[in-house]
Amino acid sequence: MSQASQRSAVFLAEMGIAPHWKLRQHADALQDEAQDAAAVDAEVLAEMPASVPHAAETVQAAPMPSAPQAVPQAAAPAVQPAAPVAVPPAVVPAAAAPDDSTAWFDDAPTPAPAPVAAAPAPIRAPASPSQPAAQRPAAPRPPAAPLDDSTAWFDDAPMPAPAPVRAPAAAAPAAGPVSDAAIAAMDWPQLQAAVKSCTRCELCHSRKAAVPGRGDLHAQWLVLAAAPSAADEADAAAGGNAGPLSAEAGTLLDNMLKAVDLSTAEGAYIGTLVKCRPSAADGSERAPSADEVAACRPFLDREIELSGARLLLAIGHPAGKGLLGAAARGKVLRYDGRPTVATYHPADLLRRPEDKGKAWADLCLARSAHAGRL
């Protein structure tokens, strides 16, 4: 082997490709050996007896390998490599004539350097609950489906459930009955409004409307009936302000007061012991019960205080009994320190005109009591 071939062999051994160089160097020698072996086999077959022609045919039919299956171990190179690299055997193609030139190596591309393995990433402890985990890259989104102008998806879509219908909020419960202390602190407008919305007794369930008093708010005489009449209730329910004794009986009462120089415009105020009309089961009028009179008594007491009346005139037997506990015509009694006189109701005088003289005597008694002569 020439010196150039030795240098090449040493260099190729350093690069880890020495077997390929050896195979190409000895390719011709191996081919010559194969041709010699074939010639020897032909001579042996010619000398064999004719009784075994099939053996000759079998031997002749076997194809000869174009190259040996194994490559004999080459002699160790003059310079040992630093770290021999084992290369798996490979099928060697037919090589060209041996050439000791290294021009093919000079033109060969330089092999790429082996990639340097990256250092493994450090293992991090799991993030504590108080620290947010590292934000991971978002997964790639699949490509959007092509737009479709069809509206079939809308036709097959389920109808949304209707919104539940909420029941209207329950009305706030009505305020409880007004207290005696609250009534005692009211002025005239507040008192009349409280009368219209009163719920202090059972009459609030059967009435059509409550009937406040009427007349001079700074009256000297306070004229009191037992309860409003059906006509008084109908007028109040229709929005009128006529007050109690507004029909024919009221006209007669106005004439009686005029006879003693009084009127509802000046000097007299007309009210009732109860502000709602008591009615029987058949709808007819009845006298108020003791409980109904007691429930409305704070309204009456406030009317007396606000007006400053100096005399009370009870008209009709139920009014005198409810106010004083007993009807006593012809006498001057007292209610809360004020002189009180009982007389006939104007409606009774319309039915019995003969009692008008007695009623006139009662008015004269009341005028004397008011003047302080009694």
Side-chain angles (χ1 to χ4, degrees):
M1 180 181 297
S2 63
Q3 292 183 356
S5 298
Q6 273 190 343
R7 288 196 303 269
S8 298
V10 172
F11 183 79
L12 293 176
E14 291 289 341
M15 296 299 295
I17 52 176
H20 298 282
W21 169 258
K22 295 171 184 178
L23 287 177
R24 192 178 72 172
Q25 184 179 11
H26 297 284
D28 290 342
L30 294 176
Q31 187 175 6
D32 293 341
E33 292 178 1
Q35 292 177 357
D36 294 342
V40 172
D41 291 341
E43 293 177 0
V44 174
L45 289 176
E47 295 176 359
M48 291 180 66
S51 60
V52 286
H54 58 279
E57 294 175 0
T58 302
V59 173
Q60 292 176 358
M64 295 300 294
S66 59
Q69 298 298 320
V71 180
Q73 184 68 29
V79 180
Q80 294 294 334
V85 180
V87 179
V91 178
V92 180
D99 184 9
D100 292 339
S101 175
T102 59
W104 65 272
F105 177 77
D106 299 334
D107 299 333
T110 304
V116 179
I123 300 176
R124 296 182 179 180
S128 61
S130 60
Q131 298 177 351
Q135 190 173 12
R136 298 181 179 178
R141 296 183 179 179
L147 297 177
D148 186 6
D149 295 336
S150 174
T151 59
W153 64 270
F154 179 79
D155 299 334
D156 298 336
M159 294 293 294
V165 179
R166 296 184 178 180
V178 62
S179 64
D180 295 356
I183 295 175
M186 292 179 179
D187 56 13
W188 277 114
Q190 293 172 341
L191 184 65
Q192 293 179 351
V195 167
K196 294 179 180 180
S197 60
C198 176
T199 58
R200 290 174 60 89
C201 70
E202 295 299 323
L203 292 180
C204 66
H205 301 297
S206 60
R207 75 187 179 202
K208 294 180 181 178
V211 183
R214 65 182 177 94
D216 185 4
L217 299 182
H218 300 284
Q220 296 296 309
W221 285 30
L222 193 62
V223 182
L224 298 173
S229 64
D232 300 337
E233 183 183 53
D235 178 75
N241 296 317
L245 283 82
S246 59
E248 293 181 1
T251 301
L252 179 56
L253 179 60
D254 290 341
N255 293 334
M256 293 170 62
L257 294 174
K258 188 181 296 184
V260 292
D261 299 328
L262 295 174
S263 67
T264 54
E266 184 178 359
Y269 180 90
I270 302 174
T272 53
L273 298 184
V274 297
K275 311 304 180 183
C276 302
R277 183 180 77 92
S279 59
D282 58 355
S284 61
E285 295 182 4
R286 63 172 177 83
S289 66
D291 292 340
E292 293 167 352
V293 172
C296 266
R297 183 58 58 90
F299 291 119
L300 173 61
D301 292 342
R302 188 57 180 165
E303 287 175 330
I304 295 174
E305 292 293 333
L306 289 174
S307 65
R310 296 173 56 187
L311 182 133
L312 304 181
L313 180 66
I315 56 177
H317 178 76
K321 184 178 181 179
L323 182 63
L324 302 172
R329 279 192 58 255
K331 295 181 180 179
V332 177
L333 304 176
R334 292 192 176 272
Y335 176 81
D336 194 20
R338 292 174 174 82
T340 304
V341 176
T343 189
Y344 293 97
H345 194 285
D348 296 335
L349 295 177
L350 291 175
R351 289 189 296 267
R352 295 189 302 271
E354 63 274 14
D355 292 336
K356 290 183 180 179
K358 298 178 182 179
W360 171 247
D362 295 335
L363 290 176
C364 292
L365 178 64
R367 184 172 57 180
S368 298
H370 175 256
R373 295 190 296 266
L374 298 176

